[in-house]
Amino acid sequence: MKQKKHIKLRLLLLIAAAFFITPGFTQTPVITLNVAKANTNVSPMLYGLMTEEINHSYDGGLYAELIRNRIFKDSKTEPEGWSLVKDDPSSKAEINLIGAEEHVPNDERRNAINGAMQACLRLTVEKADGRVGVANAGYWGIPVKPSTTYKASFYIKGTDRSEPPRWPWEPKPTTPPLPVIENNTPGPITISIESTDGKTVYAKGTINLEKSIYWKKYEVDLTTAADVKPTKDARVVISTDRVGVYYFNLVSLFPPTYKDQPNGFRPDLMQLLVNMKPKFLRFPGGNFLEGPKITDAFPWKTTLGPIANRPGHNGSWGYRASDGMGLLEFLKWCEDMAAQPLLAVYAGYSLDGDHIDAGPLLKPYVDDALDEIEYVIGDTSTYWGRKRAEDGHPEPFKLKYVEIGNEDWFDRSNSYDGRFNQFRNAIEAKYSQLICISTIPSTQYPSMKVTTGKEPAVVDEHYYRNSWEMWENASQYDTYDRNGPKIFVGEWATREGKPTTNLNAALADAAWMTGMERNSDLVIMSCYAPLFVNVSIDSATGKKAWQWDSDLIGYDALNSYGSPSYYVQKLFSHYLGNKIVPATIANIPMQKMPLSRRDSAEHKAQKSVPTLFYSATMNDTTGTLYLKIVNTIARKQEVKINFDGAKVSPEATLVLVKGDHPEETNSISDPQKIIPVKETIKGIKKSFSRKLNPYSVNIFEIKTQ
Ligand code: AHR
């Protein structure tokens, strides 16, 4: 038995050796840093963020609103997220979605408040034995926290048994007649945050309903007690104990927000982002910019002003967007992170493949983009600059880059050249300081790239890859043409692990980032995607929250966490100098890349990829040097590091992200399995060696003189 075990072990070792041993493995890898030649600038905007409404990034994510389907437009047939509450089953009551269908009956149209709020929820109470009301399930729950004040508001109106005024030629109502019940009576209406079974009330407030058949907004604060245990297994209930017909609209509940801003953001998520120190935010997409149909493109104009005026729109990821996160919120979000907006404007191409040709039909879209830019940077003497001031932000925002569309290589009509130029010409004519980004990268899509007029100054490249592909391509920018456009890597990710990525993905991300960093004269900006994922799974209160596996930051209604990739990005952005330190590496150990099924079928030879990746930058004012080395394999690797042209302090800081298995990950129930650790290391000198941990990202912060 014992012998059998030995044979097995030896066999395993042999396989492992055959897998790993390649010529380079016998000698110690050597990285030589030419500190004296650190002359090339690191792009000051190298690391930013990309965002769009996907995976419930805003509704059920960063945007702090807790009520799902607050204006009852999420479905045309059901009051999604809402249910009837009867404390005593003998009560007689029902709820109906009103005015949400395509062709709204004439009488139902009378319930509209404005162009944004045409649908509403009707609660009909014929018999009230105790409490009767409507409940909202929130976005996979309502977060309950101790000593917390929630701001509730809702529009409500009653009804009257008399028929509404009607011209003789008007059709009779098509909706079933209301039951013969008493008219609404004035009196208390209660709103509570309570457990999903209604047995525990965490916070409660009451408004005094006036007797009226006209809409009125009521507001009330709800505060939880200090001893409440945090939970997300809660709902919001608005209830009465009187018969009547009650109409509800724009029901809203806000917990405390980041910096207490009205209509603001979830503080935990904001903090995770602020900690990344991003230099820019690319918004509003991604696919969310374009929409499935031309009419679904991000409608920035109707995302402005009071939330009562925002109709929301069809999103691009299978659910409606409330547009509570509107253009101004995106801009304020940038401001809160001290990041610059990178504004993507809709360029006349949508996801289902429809486009508007360059020329007169495209002009309104170009004008719309000019208006949007004016809203962002126009001073208050301009029409849209004044609007922004009226919305509460007189100061123009900073803007340098405008992206024309998104992934227009999907547009098989070859119309991008004309569309890009029509946008670019109009934008540059009005704002010569702005740089327009083309979404067709010349290297990947040479036959589709913009050829008319001057070459685009910046092109956006997207990469979604597995770890092997990342390792294989981590050096791709080392050989890119320096005379072509600058590169914006506007979406990239190693797609391993779900819903957030695992350690292996983080190792591949880090390898990829060393390549961008070494070449940040060319790669001037980069941002990972997608940023956010609500990790809630199918439940009674809603179907699975996410559409895209492999995301950076996960959360549910109550808690949030960063993936290993998140920590790698945070560290890369923190430990970054302003000059690239030229470096060479010798004796890189290689490993064999598995063949894909197709490659095997085609009898292709196995490729080898490095097991170590590096980049070095330094701050030329402080003399601090940042050396990043990634060890992607299961064993320790010794690396010799030489410094040319600088003296180094004997003590340095080493920041590490590491783990025991590539599949290790963080999750909502184990949020800190993989987090950075910091240590002080000694013995740094002109030439020193260090054994790198298996599966590790190593960042050395070294003082030079
Ligand atoms: O990041 C997810 C999607 O991937 C983006 O919306 C789109 O631009 C890309 O195809």
Side-chain angles (χ1 to χ4, degrees), residues 454-637:
K454 59 185 182 198
E455 189 166 25
V458 184
V459 295
D460 182 357
E461 299 188 349
H462 293 181
Y463 297 106
Y464 292 105
R465 290 168 163 162
N466 65 31
S467 52
W468 290 104
E469 292 162 337
M470 277 301 191
W471 293 326
E472 186 192 0
N473 292 292
S475 304
Q476 72 178 52
Y477 293 119
D478 290 354
T479 50
Y480 252 50
D481 176 14
R482 260 41 190 188
N483 299 313
K486 296 283 185 199
I487 308 295
F488 167 38
V489 189
E491 289 180 31
W492 68 269
T494 310
R495 302 201 61 195
E496 289 179 17
K498 64 179 172 184
T500 48
T501 50
N502 59 23
L503 177 64
N504 206 45
L507 294 169
D509 288 348
W512 171 249
M513 289 167 91
T514 60
M516 292 198 291
E517 213 166 277
R518 271 200 320 274
N519 292 285
S520 74
D521 59 316
L522 173 74
V523 179
I524 55 168
M525 292 178 290
S526 69
C527 45
Y528 185 97
L531 179 62
F532 281 141
V533 60
N534 185 319
V535 300
S536 305
I537 51 173
D538 272 336
S539 72
T541 57
K543 56 180 187 203
K544 178 178 153 225
W546 78 90
Q547 300 80 44
W548 186 278
D549 298 334
S550 73
D551 305 284
L552 197 67
I553 293 173
Y555 47 86
D556 61 13
L558 195 62
N559 296 309
S560 54
Y561 68 97
S563 61
S565 301
Y566 164 83
Y567 288 108
V568 163
Q569 291 201 39
K570 183 178 155 188
L571 295 181
F572 267 64
S573 151
H574 271 243
Y575 295 94
L576 183 68
N578 61 339
K579 298 284 175 190
I580 301 167
V581 180
T584 53
I585 188 161
N587 312 331
I588 306 185
M590 306 294 277
Q591 62 175 328
K592 289 251 161 65
M593 184 169 165
L595 284 175
S596 67
R597 258 197 214 162
R598 190 169 167 187
D599 288 349
S600 297
E602 290 172 9
H603 304 292
K604 286 207 174 140
Q606 243 180 313
K607 290 181 197 157
S608 288
V609 298
T611 60
L612 283 176
F613 298 85
Y614 73 97
S615 67
T617 61
M618 74 180 290
N619 182 316
D620 63 354
T621 316
T622 62
T624 309
L625 188 144
Y626 305 100
L627 172 63
K628 294 161 178 154
I629 315 179
V630 189
N631 176 15
T632 62
I633 59 171
R635 67 171 183 85
K636 281 198 173 191
Q637 294 210 69

Side-chain angles (χ1 to χ4, degrees), residues 50 52 54 286-288 317 406-407 410 462 464 491 529-530 548:
M50 186 270 169
E52 66 174 319
I54 182 175
N287 291 358
F288 187 60
W317 292 98
N406 175 57
E407 295 189 338
F410 281 112
H462 293 181
Y464 292 105
E491 289 180 31
W548 186 278

